[in-house]
Each structure stands twice: as C-alpha cells, then as structure tokens.
C-alpha cells in the first residue's frame, strides 16, 4: 500500500504538469524500457509528446524513431532487401521533421546484454503502435474498476506488419511472430502504474491482491532470499504482483540503504515495532 501510494503520487505530479494522457504515455514508455532502458524510454516520451503523434498519425512511427536517434540516411542500404522500402519511408518522413525534433543530447540507450525481443528498437515500436490506438487503450487504462483481463488481452495482442517479425530496424524477418507487448510487461504496467492510480481513486485493494506476479526480477529474488533464506521458503510471497512490489520496496528502503549486508539491518527491529503497535 505504501509503494502504491508513492507511485500514485508520482503519476499525479506528472498529470498535474502535463495531463493524464501524457502521464500514462510516459508510464507505458517506462514500462516498455524494462530495467535497462526505462529512463531512456521516459526521456523519449518527454521529447516526443503523445499529442504530436496523435496530430500526425502518418508519422507515428517515424517521429519516435527519429527522436530516439535510430534513423540515418543510409540505414536502408544496410538492411535486408525486404525492409528497405519501409526504412526509406521512415527516413523520408523524419528528414522533413527533424529540424524541429532532433536533439544534440543523445538518449543513453543500452542495447548490450538485452534479449533480441527486448531491443530498444522494438520497445520504441511498441510505443508507436500503442499511440496509434490510444483512445481504446486509454479507455481500458482508466476504467474503474480496472478490467485486468481486458488490459492484458489487449496489450498481448498488439501487433504490427513490420515489427511482429523484426528485432531491429535492420534485421531480417524472424521465423515466428514475436510479441510486441507481452503478458509479463502488461502485468508490470498494471502493478507499477495502473493499479496505484486506481487504488488512489478508490479501487478495492482486494482487486490488486488478485493480480498474479510477473517476471521474478533480481531485486525481488535477492530480497526474498535475504528475508526468508531461500526462494522455496519465500514461495508464498512470490505469487502475486503486490508481494513483488512489497519486496522491491523493502529492498530499496533497507537493502540499498544498508552497507552492512544484513548484519546490522534495522528492518527486523522495525517489524517488531510495527507488530507491537498493531497489538
């Protein structure tokens, strides 16, 4: 509940400054970036506003890729033959608009160490595809109570003729389709952004507790082992998204703040005080 309140406050600060749609757009971008590129994706969303993409539907893909620094005049020449026309179209569109949107400060993308399906090119593509169908997504995201199954189904089925079978702008087509916005990312978006806002707007907390956990990340795993001794012992607290969020908050509030590596951790004493207060 504490972590959800913090996240809701962050969303509302962005919404107060830029509007609810822009806050949601930045939240989606951040989620798509995974851990390595969450900040670069948020920077991109700030540089290329949703309103611009909605006003120029024929440029919805070219503008984000150009602003991200991923387009070059010779890119299509290095790409497979079946992608060259698409890339040429992107460049021709960006070339006319780049005077307004090009920045001298490069976004610090991290491509190394990423699974091919998580390459920054695909993350930007997913954001562009979602921007094209924004009214439908917005309705789902701001529904009360949240339509969890509807949101997961919608995001899991997002596709694009080019990107459903590509890992990068210049890669060859894959043998099988690759999800643009998989179920695990949809759960992360719900847990990190949509539910915190909904809870602030009186969504029943019981609905949040029903959300299954997404991918077990490093911070959740590390905190679970420190608190319970092993993943097996922590198993009951690894099944729900809310539990993951709680473990992440404990990790940030205590593990990252205490250099003693558990020896003098104040968390056990804090728990003791909470239990006394509750009793």
């Amino acid at each position: 509940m504490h972590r959800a309140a913090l996240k809701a406050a962050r969303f509302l600060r962005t919404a107060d400054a830029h509007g609810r749609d822009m806050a949601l757009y930045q939240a989606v971008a951040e989620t798509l970036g995974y851990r390595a590129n969450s900040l670069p994706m948020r920077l991109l969303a700030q540089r290329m506003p949703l309103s611009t993409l909605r006003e120029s539907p024929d440029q919805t893909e070219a503008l984000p890729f150009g602003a991200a620094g991923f387009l070059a005049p010779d890119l299509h020449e290095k790409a497979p033959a079946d992608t060259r026309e698409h890339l040429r179209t992107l460049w021709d569109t960006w070339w006319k608009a780049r005077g307004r949107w090009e920045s001298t400060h490069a976004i610090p993308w991290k491509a190394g160490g990423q699974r091919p399906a998580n390459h920054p090119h695909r993350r930007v593509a997913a954001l562009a595809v979602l921007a094209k169908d924004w009214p439908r997504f917005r309705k789902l995201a701001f529904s009360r109570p949240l339509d969890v199954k509807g949101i997961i189904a919608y995001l899991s089925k997002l596709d694009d003729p080019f990107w459903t079978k590509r890992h990068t702008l210049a890669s060859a087509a894959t043998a099988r389709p690759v999800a643009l916005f998989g179920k695990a990312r949809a759960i992360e978006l719900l847990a990190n952004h949509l539910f915190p806002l909904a809870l602030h707007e009186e969504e029943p907390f019981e609905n949040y507790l029903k959300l299954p956990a997404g991918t077990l990340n490093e911070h959740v795993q590390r905190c679970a082992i420190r608190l319970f001794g092993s993943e097996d012992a922590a198993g009951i607290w690894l099944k729900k998204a809310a539990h993951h969020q709680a473990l992440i908050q404990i990790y940030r509030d205590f593990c990252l703040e205490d250099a003693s590596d558990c020896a003098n951790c104040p968390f056990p004493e804090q728990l003791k005080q909470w239990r006394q207060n509750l009793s």
Side-chain angles (χ1 to χ4, degrees):
M1 292 176 72
H2 171 64
R3 183 171 176 80
L6 293 177
K7 287 183 171 292
R10 182 189 182 207
F11 186 100
L12 293 170
R13 285 195 299 270
T14 304
D16 286 343
H18 305 288
R20 283 170 68 90
D21 281 83
M22 189 61 177
L24 178 60
Y25 174 64
Q26 290 186 20
V28 172
E30 188 175 282
T31 302
L32 282 169
Y34 292 74
R35 181 181 172 187
N37 286 301
S38 60
L39 177 58
M41 283 294 291
R42 195 172 187 93
L43 290 174
L44 174 63
Q46 292 170 352
R47 288 189 185 182
M48 183 51 59
L50 175 67
S51 57
T52 298
L53 301 183
R54 300 292 300 147
E55 291 168 1
S56 309
D58 58 329
Q59 301 179 358
T60 303
E61 184 177 355
L63 292 182
F65 273 104
F70 292 150
L71 296 181
D74 60 343
L75 181 63
H76 67 287
E77 297 174 4
K78 304 174 184 177
D82 62 343
T83 69
R84 289 175 185 170
E85 183 177 350
H86 181 75
L87 297 181
R88 184 67 190 180
T89 300
L90 291 181
W91 171 255
D92 286 346
T93 301
W94 171 246
W95 179 79
K96 298 173 185 176
R98 64 176 182 167
R100 179 183 178 187
W101 298 109
E102 196 168 40
S103 175
T104 57
H105 300 286
I107 294 177
W109 298 104
K110 296 180 182 178
Q114 302 290 310
R115 292 175 56 242
N118 298 340
H119 192 280
H121 288 187
R122 285 184 54 78
R123 305 299 90 209
V124 175
L127 186 64
V129 170
L130 199 57
K132 292 178 183 178
D133 196 34
W134 190 257
R136 184 181 174 191
F137 171 65
R138 183 189 193 279
K139 184 177 180 180
L140 283 168
F142 292 142
S143 63
R144 299 292 180 268
L146 277 173
D147 181 4
V148 173
K149 290 183 178 179
I151 291 170
I152 293 175
Y154 169 78
L155 292 174
S156 299
K157 293 177 182 178
L158 280 180
D159 62 3
D160 177 85
F162 183 86
W163 285 105
T164 300
K165 288 194 173 185
R166 296 295 194 297
H167 287 140
T168 71
L169 283 164
S171 65
T174 59
R176 297 179 179 180
V178 185
L180 271 177
F181 206 129
K183 181 180 178 180
R185 282 296 93 194
I187 289 175
E188 290 300 314
L189 178 64
L190 282 158
N192 282 290
H193 301 285
L194 302 189
F195 258 115
L197 178 65
L199 293 171
H200 177 77
E201 297 172 349
E202 300 185 358
E203 175 95 12
F205 194 76
E206 291 74 15
N207 292 351
Y208 183 31
L209 292 177
K210 295 176 184 177
L211 184 68
T215 305
L216 182 67
N217 67 39
E218 179 184 351
H219 290 173
V220 172
Q221 183 181 42
R222 187 176 301 170
C223 189
I225 292 173
R226 287 185 176 185
L227 287 179
F228 301 102
S230 69
E231 281 188 47
D232 288 340
I236 192 174
W237 304 111
L238 297 176
K239 296 179 180 180
K240 300 295 183 180
H243 297 157
H244 281 208
Q245 291 292 307
L247 288 168
I248 291 172
Q249 193 63 42
I250 292 169
Y251 181 84
R252 293 193 175 183
D253 287 346
F254 295 93
C255 301
L256 291 182
E257 298 296 329
D258 182 13
S260 68
D261 194 27
C262 296
N264 299 304
C265 180
F267 188 55
E269 183 63 27
Q270 182 71 70
L271 284 177
K272 183 179 179 180
Q273 291 179 12
W274 286 338
R275 179 173 294 179
Q276 291 173 346
N277 292 338
L278 288 173
S279 61

